[in-house]
């Protein structure tokens, strides 16, 4: 989708693989941050659960694989956002939450 079309949305939920990411969670986090930063630099307002939640896990001793905890958090933001963009990083189709 062209960036100009993404700018029309108030907020975009940026979904990306994490727990089953072939490069591991650290790389999943880094790539989500990189893509999210590129979109923000283009004036697109996003919410990236991986960029936020990975940092929470590292600094607040939370389990990054506690799907029940994160799904409850993510559902709130999914409902608040106007659109969903799926980062099709390698193996994204293996993600239970994205698929």
């Amino acid at each position: 989708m062209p960036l100009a079309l993404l700018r029309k949305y108030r907020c975009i939920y940026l979904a990306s693989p994490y727990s089953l990411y072939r490069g591991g969670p650290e790389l999943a986090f880094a790539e989500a941050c990189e893509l999210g930063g590129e979109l923000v630099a283009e004036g697109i307002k996003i919410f990236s659960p991986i960029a936020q939640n990975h940092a929470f896990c590292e600094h607040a001793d939370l389990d990054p694989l506690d799907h029940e905890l994160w799904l409850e958090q993510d559902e709130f933001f999914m409902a608040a956002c106007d659109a969903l963009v799926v980062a099709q990083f390698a193996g994204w189709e293996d993600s239970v939450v994205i698929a």
Side-chain angles (χ1 to χ4, degrees):
M1 176 178 280
L3 293 177
L5 292 177
L6 293 178
R7 285 188 195 97
K8 75 177 185 173
Y9 295 105
R10 184 178 51 86
C11 182
I12 293 172
Y13 186 98
L14 177 60
S16 56
Y18 184 76
S19 60
L20 298 177
Y21 189 57
R22 293 177 187 158
E26 287 295 327
L27 185 57
F29 168 69
E31 290 192 1
C33 289
E34 182 178 347
L35 177 57
E38 290 171 6
L39 293 172
V40 167
E42 290 292 333
I44 298 165
K45 295 166 189 70
I46 67 147
F47 172 74
S48 170
I50 299 307
Q52 174 181 293
N53 298 345
H54 180 86
F56 288 170
C57 290
E58 285 194 346
H59 297 282
D61 196 32
L62 296 170
D63 181 358
L65 302 180
D66 183 345
H67 293 289
E68 188 174 315
L69 170 68
W70 297 118
L71 186 58
E72 181 180 341
Q73 291 285 312
D74 294 346
E75 285 177 341
F76 172 84
F77 288 102
M78 283 185 229
C81 290
D82 301 315
L84 169 70
V85 169
V86 176
Q88 295 183 351
F89 300 147
W92 73 271
E93 60 277 332
D94 297 329
S95 174
V96 174
V97 178
I98 295 175

